[in-house]
């Protein structure tokens, strides 16, 4: 996909990478540059003149070679400088909205060769990436940090909202009142939060060494819902004729508008065509036992294989001890976990500080 390829090269231009360091040196030196980010037969077809170098890439070498007239050609992995002082002569009939000589040449070369081209403008003090017929400004670290912080703040609000919805969902599970509609609401909010998390991670990637603090904050936030999709599959896939059909992955391809359709989401996660949204579904309780009861996954698997969630709330210590590997101390641990679950399900959630 064009979007994925663009993001790949935006990461290569992240602050702290050798390429970005070289471009910043050129920018601060108030000179311009035209850098082809790869080499293939089509690049060679539109290239003439210059000097064949084939030397290791360094930011310092890129800065010095930018003082020459002409383009600099890098290897596909950006580890070597193939040539410098090259005159690029792509076909003049390729469409471009650019007016400057350097930018027109970059745009047409990128279109003709399929290889991204970066320009540094001395007069405007900007760096631009030309790729697939489009121009993408390369933002400064300050601009990128500001954008990342905005996304992180929005993610924090979505995580809080997801937490509120899960608290209400806990009560429905304990009371055995979950319907397809309430399950869909959790799936919708989880997918929205996952998308914002992915967007935040992209900003962290493109920030490079400048994104360390944002990465720490992001890691703390995503810990609140990591693994939720797998837990929901464990708890609710048995409600389908074919349990393997239950998955939240198809939601990744829905548009923002489509994601708001409860009916469509229910269909995509495995409930078939036109499901009745008020139909009850039953949880096996794995998510509650792990996230609220704080029980280890291995123990949870033994419990849900032996008892239903509702049976667990009334099971005795002696019955728990009949399960292989559960002694008196572990049985009391399970009873304490079940008590925490019921108390947490009906406790009023605290307002965010």
């Amino acid at each position: 996909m064009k979007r994925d390829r663009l993001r790949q090269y935006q990461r290569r231009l992240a602050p702290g990478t050798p390429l970005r360091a070289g471009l910043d040196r050129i920018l601060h030196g108030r000179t311009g540059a035209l850098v082809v980010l790869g080499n293939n037969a089509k690049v060679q077809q539109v290239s003439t003149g210059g000097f064949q170098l084939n030397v290791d890439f360094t930011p310092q070498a890129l800065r010095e070679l930018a003082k020459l007239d002409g383009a600099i050609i890098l290897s596909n992995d950006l580890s070597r400088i193939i040539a410098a002082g090259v005159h690029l002569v792509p076909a003049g009939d390729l469409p471009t909205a650019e007016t400057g000589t350097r930018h027109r040449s970059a745009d047409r070369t990128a279109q003709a060769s399929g290889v991204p081209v970066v320009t540094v403008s001395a007069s405007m003090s900007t760096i631009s990436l030309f790729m697939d017929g489009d121009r993408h400004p390369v933002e400064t670290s300050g601009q990128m940090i500001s954008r990342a912080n905005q996304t992180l703040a929005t993610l924090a609000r979505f995580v809080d909202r997801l937490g509120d919805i899960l608290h209400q969902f806990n009560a429905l599970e304990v009371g055995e009142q979950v319907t397809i509609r309430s399950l869909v609401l959790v799936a919708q909010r989880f997918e929205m939060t996952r998308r914002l998390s992915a967007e935040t991670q992209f900003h962290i990637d493109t920030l490079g060494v400048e994104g360390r603090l944002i990465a720490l904050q992001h890691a703390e936030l995503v810990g609140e819902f990591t693994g939720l999709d797998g837990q929901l599959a464990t708890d609710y896939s048995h409600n389908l004729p074919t349990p393997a059909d239950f998955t939240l992955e198809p939601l990744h391809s829905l548009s923002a508008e489509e994601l708001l359709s409860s009916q469509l989401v229910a269909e995509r996660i495995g409930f078939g065509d036109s499901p009745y949204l008020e139909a009850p579904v039953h949880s096996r309780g794995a998510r509650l036992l792990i996230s609220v009861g704080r029980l280890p996954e291995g123990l949870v698997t033994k419990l849900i294989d032996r008892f239903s969630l509702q049976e667990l709330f009334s099971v005795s210590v002696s019955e728990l001890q009949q399960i292989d590997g559960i002694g008196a101390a572990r049985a009391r641990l399970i009873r304490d976990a079940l008590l925490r679950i019921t108390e947490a399900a009906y406790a009023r959630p605290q307002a965010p500080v």
Side-chain angles (χ1 to χ4, degrees):
M1 292 176 60
K2 289 175 62 175
R3 179 184 174 89
D4 293 338
R5 187 164 177 259
L6 169 62
R7 292 197 162 188
Q8 173 191 346
Y9 279 94
Q10 286 175 325
R11 292 185 181 98
R12 290 183 166 192
L13 290 164
T17 61
L19 177 59
R20 182 60 178 270
L23 295 173
D24 284 341
R25 282 172 175 265
I26 296 170
L27 192 63
H28 295 154
R30 300 185 181 278
T31 55
L34 184 59
V35 185
V36 183
L37 304 185
N39 186 32
N40 59 24
K42 292 182 178 178
V43 170
Q44 294 300 316
Q45 288 175 6
V46 299
S47 301
T48 183
F51 307 95
Q52 296 299 311
L53 300 175
N54 197 23
V55 296
D56 289 339
F57 176 92
T58 64
Q60 296 85 349
L62 188 69
R63 164 72 181 98
E64 293 303 318
L65 292 171
K67 297 176 182 179
L68 299 173
D69 288 335
I72 300 169
I73 299 176
L74 305 183
S75 61
N76 292 328
D77 61 1
L78 310 184
S79 66
R80 300 187 68 77
I81 300 174
I82 303 300
V86 176
H87 184 207
L88 299 176
V89 286
D93 58 351
L94 289 172
T96 180
E98 301 300 328
T99 54
T101 303
R102 179 180 289 120
H103 290 157
R104 278 205 314 270
S105 179
D107 191 7
R108 286 172 172 159
T109 298
Q111 293 181 58
S113 65
V115 174
V117 180
V118 169
T119 61
V120 179
S121 173
S123 59
M124 299 181 64
S125 297
T126 59
I127 302 173
S128 300
L129 172 67
F130 288 87
M131 189 171 177
D132 300 322
D134 296 313
R135 178 181 182 179
H136 306 278
V138 177
E139 297 178 316
T140 65
S141 295
Q143 292 171 323
M144 295 163 68
I145 289 173
S146 176
R147 190 185 302 275
N149 280 325
Q150 290 176 2
T151 308
L152 190 68
T154 305
L155 174 62
R157 291 194 293 271
F158 270 68
V159 169
D160 285 342
R161 180 58 181 149
L162 177 60
D164 291 342
I165 290 175
L166 285 175
H167 178 82
Q168 299 166 11
F169 194 63
N170 292 347
L172 293 177
E173 288 188 327
V174 171
E176 205 172 12
Q177 297 176 334
V178 179
T179 62
I180 293 178
R181 186 184 298 278
S182 54
L183 177 59
V184 162
L185 178 60
V186 173
Q188 288 171 314
R189 182 57 58 166
F190 171 74
E191 175 60 19
M192 294 176 189
T193 308
R194 187 202 64 79
R195 292 183 185 187
L196 270 173
S197 175
E199 187 70 20
T200 305
Q201 184 59 55
F202 167 70
H203 290 313
I204 292 169
D205 292 342
T206 54
L207 273 169
V209 296
E210 302 291 340
R212 293 188 299 271
L213 293 179
I214 295 175
L216 290 174
Q217 296 176 70
H218 178 244
E220 183 178 9
L221 283 174
V222 298
E224 298 290 330
F225 61 88
T226 299
L228 178 60
D229 50 346
Q231 292 171 358
L232 291 176
T234 299
D235 281 346
Y236 290 97
S237 60
H238 70 282
N239 289 278
L240 304 182
T242 306
D245 289 344
F246 187 97
T247 174
L248 270 57
E249 287 189 11
L251 303 187
H252 300 354
S253 60
L254 295 182
S255 67
E257 293 75 16
E258 290 173 331
L259 189 59
L260 297 177
S261 170
S262 298
Q263 193 76 44
L264 179 59
V265 170
E267 292 176 2
R268 292 296 177 87
I269 65 177
F271 285 97
D273 296 334
S274 303
Y276 178 52
L277 296 181
E278 305 308 324
V281 288
H282 305 284
S283 171
R284 299 184 70 193
R287 185 186 62 84
L288 281 177
L289 293 170
I290 293 172
S291 61
V292 183
R294 300 191 290 277
L295 292 175
E297 291 188 25
L299 182 56
V300 168
T301 300
K302 290 182 178 181
L303 292 173
I304 63 177
D305 286 345
R306 178 71 175 270
F307 302 105
S308 69
L309 180 60
Q310 299 307 311
E311 288 172 342
L312 277 172
F313 289 125
S314 59
V315 72
S316 66
V317 172
S318 60
E319 289 177 303
L320 289 171
Q321 289 182 262
Q322 294 175 11
I323 300 177
D324 184 39
I326 297 181
R330 181 159 285 188
R332 288 193 295 272
L333 176 69
I334 295 170
R335 291 302 307 162
D336 290 343
L338 293 170
L339 180 61
R340 281 196 301 272
I341 290 171
T342 54
E343 289 177 345
Y346 294 112
R348 179 174 297 179
Q350 295 182 350
V353 178

